[in-house]
Amino acid sequence: MTIRVQREDFDVGAEIAALSAGNHRIGGLTSFTGLVRNMGASLGAMTLEHYPGMTEKMLAAIDAQAHERWPLEASLIIHRYGRLEPGDRIVLVITASPHRDAAFDSCRFLIDWLKTKAPFWKLEESADGGERWVAAKASDDHAAARWAKNEG
Amino acid sequence: MKILYFAGLRQRIGVGEEEIEPPPEIVDVAALIGWLRRRGPDFAEALADTSAIRIAVDQEFAAMDTSLAGAREVALFPPMTGG
C-alpha cells in the first residue's frame, strides 16, 4: 500500500516496525531486500535510471494486484535509483498478512513482477572505465510468467 | 506529443525527451516508430530491432498496434532491469 521510489537508503528494521505498528491482525511479515552484487568483470557499481511517474504507477498497480490475490494487511515497496555500489540496498518489499503463506507468496510475487514490469534500467561500470547497460534476463521473465499462469 | 527515450535508447539517440508533431497518418505505435526511424541514422539504428523495444503510451504499456489517438506522452525504452 506504500510505494517509495527514492535515491536515499532505507532501514529494513525500521520499515518492518513501522508497517506492523498498531495492527494486531498481522500474524507475519515477509521481507525481501535486494542488494547490489559484484558480478564478473564489472566493478559492481551501477547507476539506476527510471521513468518518473510511470515507475510509481506500475509499482502501485502490481501492489494492488497482490492485495487482490492475497489477504494482506499491509505492504511496502521501496526501490532506489541513482548510483549504487556493491553491498548497497537497492530494493525492499515487505508484505504483512494474518497468515504466513500469503505473506511469503505475495512478497515473492511482488519482487518477481517488479523486475519485469517496473521501468528501471541498470547501467554498470566496468574496471576499464567503461559503462554497459545490463541486459534483461530470460530467467526474470520466466519467474514473472510463473505468476501469470496461476491467474488461470 | 512528448516523446521520451530511456537507458540505452536514450544514449544511442542522443536525446532523452522531445516534442514532436508527427503527420496525421501516424495513427499507431508501429507507424510512429517507422516515422522516427526516417529522422536520421541514429534513430534508424536505435529503433531497428523492435523486439528489443518496450513502449508506453501515457505511462501504460503499449503494443505496436496501440492507437496514438489522444496520446500526450510516448516512451520508448529497452526491456527493464530493475529489482
Side-chain angles (χ1 to χ4, degrees), chain A residues 9-149:
Chain A
D9 192 14
F10 48 82
D11 179 332
V12 179
E15 297 296 347
I16 288 176
L19 199 70
S20 56
N23 186 340
H24 298 157
R25 291 183 302 275
I26 295 173
L29 301 109
T30 299
S31 77
F32 175 85
T33 307
L35 305 177
V36 178
R37 73 190 154 129
N38 221 326
M39 288 182 292
S42 99
L43 279 183
M46 60 170 67
T47 300
L48 262 131
E49 176 174 329
H50 78 113
Y51 181 175
M54 184 171 173
T55 306
E56 291 83 354
K57 217 169 146 175
M58 291 309 299
L59 293 177
I62 60 169
D63 183 55
Q65 283 197 37
H67 281 262
E68 274 172 33
R69 294 176 68 156
W70 289 279
L72 299 182
E73 288 291 330
S75 59
L76 170 74
I77 303 173
I78 301 177
H79 204 305
R80 294 178 69 191
Y81 64 90
R83 188 173 183 279
L84 298 169
E85 295 186 342
D88 283 351
R89 283 173 285 272
I90 179 167
V91 62
L92 173 66
V93 177
I94 308 175
T95 52
S97 173
H99 309 290
R100 68 179 181 280
D101 281 351
F104 274 116
D105 291 353
S106 58
C107 187
R108 182 79 202 253
F109 163 84
L110 285 173
I111 189 65
D112 284 350
W113 268 51
L114 78 81
K115 276 181 110 69
T116 58
K117 304 272 182 200
F120 284 96
W121 303 274
K122 290 177 180 141
L123 179 64
E124 270 182 354
E125 298 170 21
S126 56
D128 61 7
E131 292 177 330
R132 188 183 68 90
W133 290 99
V134 174
K137 285 191 297 232
S139 59
D140 287 339
D141 284 338
H142 295 151
R146 194 159 58 89
W147 297 103
K149 260 184 268 172

Side-chain angles (χ1 to χ4, degrees), chain B residues 28-56:
Chain B
D28 63 13
V29 168
L32 177 67
I33 290 177
W35 183 77
L36 289 170
R37 278 188 194 129
R38 294 193 290 277
R39 295 173 80 210
D42 289 344
F43 284 91
E45 197 199 320
L47 304 175
D49 178 10
T50 49
S51 72
I53 300 173
R54 299 292 177 269
I55 308 124

Side-chain angles (χ1 to χ4, degrees), chain B:
Chain B
M1 175 192 292
K2 183 156 88 172
I3 185 148
L4 303 168
Y5 309 98
F6 288 99
L9 268 186
R10 173 175 52 74
Q11 281 192 328
R12 262 174 281 159
I13 287 171
V15 59
E17 180 179 334
E18 56 178 340
E19 276 297 327
I20 55 164
E21 278 187 47
E25 65 267 25
I26 305 303
V27 295
D28 63 13
V29 168
L32 177 67
I33 290 177
W35 183 77
L36 289 170
R37 278 188 194 129
R38 294 193 290 277
R39 295 173 80 210
D42 289 344
F43 284 91
E45 197 199 320
L47 304 175
D49 178 10
T50 49
S51 72
I53 300 173
R54 299 292 177 269
I55 308 124
V57 175
D58 290 330
Q59 303 190 356
E60 300 278 355
F61 282 111
M64 292 298 275
D65 61 357
T66 299
S67 165
L68 294 178
R72 294 180 307 278
E73 180 175 299
V74 176
L76 302 176
F77 45 82
M80 290 78 77
T81 54

